[in-house]
Amino acid sequence: MKSFLVIGLGRFGRAVACELGSLGHEVLALDNSEENVQHIADSVTQAVCGDAQDESVLASLGVRNFDCCVVAIGTDIEASILVTVMLKELGAKQVVCKALSALHARVLERVGADRVIQPEKEIGQRLAQHLGRTNVIDYIGFSDDFSILEIKTPRSWIGKTIGQLGVRARYGINILAIRHGEGGVADVTPGADGLISENDLLVILGTNDKVDKVVELK
């Protein structure tokens, strides 16, 4: 079990806090709206009403004791930046922030955020990948240069092992997992003898240009 501080209880913050709580983690949720706090109180370990921009409020929560602090502040860019700075100054171990734009993301990274996400952008990318490529099941933008895709097995790979295909040398990608059908059991970090079958789904990692080529395979 890990401990999380979630700051900002809009739709995104509530979703993060509730999901972490349902997974059995300790969650302290903070928002300056009493209504938002009451709405989530039964789904997390503790919900507190307070102004995250007040350093004394953050200090009283003991932010250095949490495994991760999530800054999910909605539309107030200045507030999210200020809170991120204060969390790092107070010794937070890991700070994950929601950004509203690419510029906002760059600023958050420069002031110390350990990870920055743009939910709308990432959801849009995943939907576009799924709609635009019939054999792409899911997409994660790992970085500007790398992607993780879950794809349907190319027909030319069926019945062969990872070693026989030589995926690293020939295609420049890594197969992180083989999932035996949608919802099936996953073979995580399969070895060279991992056999690829007709209904398998493959989780692959590589540079964007390499995974694009694999996606186009027949």
Side-chain angles (χ1 to χ4, degrees), residues 150-175:
E150 183 176 29
I151 66 171
K152 296 178 182 177
T153 296
R155 288 194 298 272
S156 58
W157 288 14
I158 294 172
K160 297 178 181 178
T161 66
I162 293 175
Q164 288 173 333
L165 290 168
V167 291
R168 290 184 184 177
R170 185 175 178 185
Y171 300 100
I173 60 102
N174 287 297
I175 296 180

Short mmCIF file of all heavy atoms in Angstrom, two decimals, residues 150-175:
data_model
loop_
_atom_site.label_atom_id
_atom_site.label_comp_id
_atom_site.label_asym_id
_atom_site.label_seq_id
_atom_site.Cartn_x
_atom_site.Cartn_y
_atom_site.Cartn_z
N GLU A 150 -0.28 -1.47 -27.77
CA GLU A 150 -0.81 -2.81 -27.72
C GLU A 150 -1.45 -3.06 -29.08
O GLU A 150 -2.35 -2.33 -29.48
CB GLU A 150 -1.84 -2.97 -26.60
CG GLU A 150 -2.35 -4.40 -26.49
CD GLU A 150 -3.30 -4.58 -25.32
OE1 GLU A 150 -3.99 -3.62 -24.94
OE2 GLU A 150 -3.36 -5.71 -24.81
N ILE A 151 -0.96 -4.07 -29.78
CA ILE A 151 -1.40 -4.30 -31.17
C ILE A 151 -1.86 -5.74 -31.36
O ILE A 151 -1.49 -6.63 -30.60
CB ILE A 151 -0.28 -3.99 -32.18
CG1 ILE A 151 0.89 -4.98 -32.01
CG2 ILE A 151 0.21 -2.55 -32.04
CD1 ILE A 151 1.94 -4.90 -33.10
N LYS A 152 -2.66 -5.92 -32.39
CA LYS A 152 -3.01 -7.27 -32.81
C LYS A 152 -1.78 -7.89 -33.49
O LYS A 152 -1.01 -7.18 -34.16
CB LYS A 152 -4.19 -7.25 -33.77
CG LYS A 152 -5.48 -6.72 -33.16
CD LYS A 152 -6.60 -6.66 -34.18
CE LYS A 152 -7.87 -6.10 -33.58
NZ LYS A 152 -8.96 -5.98 -34.58
N THR A 153 -1.61 -9.17 -33.34
CA THR A 153 -0.45 -9.85 -33.91
C THR A 153 -0.46 -9.78 -35.44
O THR A 153 -1.46 -10.15 -36.07
CB THR A 153 -0.42 -11.33 -33.49
OG1 THR A 153 -0.26 -11.40 -32.07
CG2 THR A 153 0.71 -12.07 -34.16
N PRO A 154 0.63 -9.30 -36.06
CA PRO A 154 0.71 -9.35 -37.53
C PRO A 154 0.61 -10.80 -38.00
O PRO A 154 1.18 -11.70 -37.38
CB PRO A 154 2.10 -8.76 -37.82
CG PRO A 154 2.43 -7.94 -36.61
CD PRO A 154 1.81 -8.65 -35.45
N ARG A 155 -0.08 -11.02 -39.09
CA ARG A 155 -0.27 -12.39 -39.58
C ARG A 155 1.06 -13.08 -39.85
O ARG A 155 1.21 -14.29 -39.65
CB ARG A 155 -1.13 -12.38 -40.84
CG ARG A 155 -2.60 -12.07 -40.59
CD ARG A 155 -3.46 -12.42 -41.80
NE ARG A 155 -3.09 -11.63 -42.97
CZ ARG A 155 -3.59 -10.45 -43.26
NH1 ARG A 155 -4.48 -9.88 -42.45
NH2 ARG A 155 -3.22 -9.81 -44.36
N SER A 156 2.04 -12.31 -40.32
CA SER A 156 3.34 -12.90 -40.65
C SER A 156 4.12 -13.35 -39.41
O SER A 156 5.13 -14.05 -39.53
CB SER A 156 4.19 -11.89 -41.44
OG SER A 156 4.37 -10.69 -40.70
N TRP A 157 3.68 -12.96 -38.21
CA TRP A 157 4.36 -13.35 -36.97
C TRP A 157 3.73 -14.58 -36.32
O TRP A 157 4.30 -15.14 -35.39
CB TRP A 157 4.35 -12.19 -35.97
CG TRP A 157 5.26 -11.07 -36.34
CD1 TRP A 157 5.85 -10.84 -37.54
CD2 TRP A 157 5.67 -10.01 -35.48
NE1 TRP A 157 6.61 -9.69 -37.50
CE2 TRP A 157 6.52 -9.16 -36.24
CE3 TRP A 157 5.42 -9.67 -34.17
CZ2 TRP A 157 7.10 -8.00 -35.72
CZ3 TRP A 157 5.98 -8.52 -33.62
CH2 TRP A 157 6.82 -7.70 -34.40
N ILE A 158 2.55 -14.96 -36.76
CA ILE A 158 1.81 -16.04 -36.11
C ILE A 158 2.58 -17.37 -36.22
O ILE A 158 3.09 -17.72 -37.29
CB ILE A 158 0.41 -16.19 -36.73
CG1 ILE A 158 -0.43 -14.93 -36.43
CG2 ILE A 158 -0.30 -17.44 -36.19
CD1 ILE A 158 -1.76 -14.90 -37.16
N GLY A 159 2.67 -18.07 -35.10
CA GLY A 159 3.33 -19.37 -35.07
C GLY A 159 4.84 -19.30 -34.91
O GLY A 159 5.51 -20.34 -34.96
N LYS A 160 5.37 -18.10 -34.72
CA LYS A 160 6.82 -17.94 -34.57
C LYS A 160 7.15 -17.47 -33.15
O LYS A 160 6.33 -16.86 -32.47
CB LYS A 160 7.35 -16.95 -35.60
CG LYS A 160 7.15 -17.41 -37.05
CD LYS A 160 7.66 -16.36 -38.03
CE LYS A 160 7.44 -16.83 -39.47
NZ LYS A 160 7.87 -15.81 -40.45
N THR A 161 8.38 -17.74 -32.74
CA THR A 161 8.82 -17.26 -31.43
C THR A 161 9.47 -15.89 -31.59
O THR A 161 9.84 -15.48 -32.70
CB THR A 161 9.83 -18.22 -30.79
OG1 THR A 161 11.03 -18.22 -31.59
CG2 THR A 161 9.26 -19.63 -30.70
N ILE A 162 9.63 -15.21 -30.47
CA ILE A 162 10.28 -13.90 -30.49
C ILE A 162 11.71 -14.04 -31.02
O ILE A 162 12.19 -13.19 -31.78
CB ILE A 162 10.28 -13.29 -29.07
CG1 ILE A 162 8.84 -12.97 -28.64
CG2 ILE A 162 11.15 -12.03 -29.03
CD1 ILE A 162 8.71 -12.49 -27.22
N GLY A 163 12.37 -15.13 -30.63
CA GLY A 163 13.74 -15.36 -31.11
C GLY A 163 13.79 -15.57 -32.61
O GLY A 163 14.69 -15.06 -33.28
N GLN A 164 12.85 -16.32 -33.15
CA GLN A 164 12.81 -16.57 -34.59
C GLN A 164 12.57 -15.27 -35.36
O GLN A 164 13.10 -15.08 -36.46
CB GLN A 164 11.73 -17.59 -34.91
CG GLN A 164 12.07 -19.00 -34.48
CD GLN A 164 10.90 -19.95 -34.65
OE1 GLN A 164 9.74 -19.54 -34.60
NE2 GLN A 164 11.20 -21.23 -34.86
N LEU A 165 11.75 -14.41 -34.80
CA LEU A 165 11.44 -13.14 -35.47
C LEU A 165 12.60 -12.15 -35.38
O LEU A 165 12.73 -11.27 -36.23
CB LEU A 165 10.18 -12.52 -34.86
CG LEU A 165 8.87 -13.25 -35.14
CD1 LEU A 165 7.76 -12.69 -34.25
CD2 LEU A 165 8.49 -13.10 -36.62
N GLY A 166 13.41 -12.28 -34.33
CA GLY A 166 14.51 -11.33 -34.13
C GLY A 166 14.02 -9.90 -34.04
O GLY A 166 14.53 -9.02 -34.73
N VAL A 167 13.02 -9.68 -33.16
CA VAL A 167 12.33 -8.38 -33.16
C VAL A 167 13.26 -7.21 -32.84
O VAL A 167 13.10 -6.12 -33.39
CB VAL A 167 11.13 -8.39 -32.19
CG1 VAL A 167 10.03 -9.29 -32.70
CG2 VAL A 167 11.56 -8.81 -30.79
N ARG A 168 14.23 -7.42 -31.97
CA ARG A 168 15.12 -6.30 -31.63
C ARG A 168 16.05 -5.96 -32.79
O ARG A 168 16.20 -4.79 -33.17
CB ARG A 168 15.94 -6.64 -30.39
CG ARG A 168 15.13 -6.70 -29.10
CD ARG A 168 16.02 -6.94 -27.91
NE ARG A 168 15.25 -7.08 -26.68
CZ ARG A 168 15.78 -7.37 -25.50
NH1 ARG A 168 17.10 -7.54 -25.39
NH2 ARG A 168 15.03 -7.48 -24.44
N ALA A 169 16.68 -6.99 -33.34
CA ALA A 169 17.65 -6.75 -34.42
C ALA A 169 16.97 -6.35 -35.72
O ALA A 169 17.44 -5.45 -36.42
CB ALA A 169 18.49 -8.01 -34.63
N ARG A 170 15.86 -7.01 -36.03
CA ARG A 170 15.22 -6.78 -37.33
C ARG A 170 14.27 -5.59 -37.34
O ARG A 170 14.19 -4.84 -38.31
CB ARG A 170 14.47 -8.03 -37.75
CG ARG A 170 13.87 -7.96 -39.15
CD ARG A 170 13.24 -9.28 -39.53
NE ARG A 170 12.63 -9.21 -40.85
CZ ARG A 170 11.92 -10.20 -41.40
NH1 ARG A 170 11.74 -11.34 -40.72
NH2 ARG A 170 11.39 -10.06 -42.59
N TYR A 171 13.53 -5.43 -36.22
CA TYR A 171 12.49 -4.39 -36.19
C TYR A 171 12.81 -3.23 -35.24
O TYR A 171 12.14 -2.20 -35.28
CB TYR A 171 11.15 -5.00 -35.80
CG TYR A 171 10.67 -6.08 -36.75
CD1 TYR A 171 10.84 -7.43 -36.44
CD2 TYR A 171 10.08 -5.75 -37.96
CE1 TYR A 171 10.42 -8.43 -37.30
CE2 TYR A 171 9.65 -6.75 -38.84
CZ TYR A 171 9.83 -8.08 -38.52
OH TYR A 171 9.41 -9.05 -39.38
N GLY A 172 13.81 -3.41 -34.38
CA GLY A 172 14.20 -2.33 -33.47
C GLY A 172 13.21 -2.05 -32.38
O GLY A 172 13.15 -0.93 -31.84
N ILE A 173 12.41 -3.07 -32.00
CA ILE A 173 11.43 -2.87 -30.93
C ILE A 173 11.59 -3.97 -29.88
O ILE A 173 12.26 -4.98 -30.11
CB ILE A 173 9.98 -2.85 -31.47
CG1 ILE A 173 9.64 -4.18 -32.19
CG2 ILE A 173 9.77 -1.69 -32.43
CD1 ILE A 173 8.81 -5.11 -31.39
N ASN A 174 10.97 -3.76 -28.73
CA ASN A 174 10.92 -4.77 -27.68
C ASN A 174 9.48 -5.20 -27.47
O ASN A 174 8.58 -4.36 -27.48
CB ASN A 174 11.47 -4.23 -26.36
CG ASN A 174 12.98 -4.07 -26.38
OD1 ASN A 174 13.70 -5.05 -26.51
ND2 ASN A 174 13.44 -2.84 -26.25
N ILE A 175 9.27 -6.50 -27.27
CA ILE A 175 7.94 -6.99 -26.89
C ILE A 175 7.90 -7.09 -25.37
O ILE A 175 8.60 -7.90 -24.77
CB ILE A 175 7.65 -8.35 -27.54
CG1 ILE A 175 7.59 -8.20 -29.07
CG2 ILE A 175 6.33 -8.92 -27.01
CD1 ILE A 175 7.31 -9.50 -29.82
#
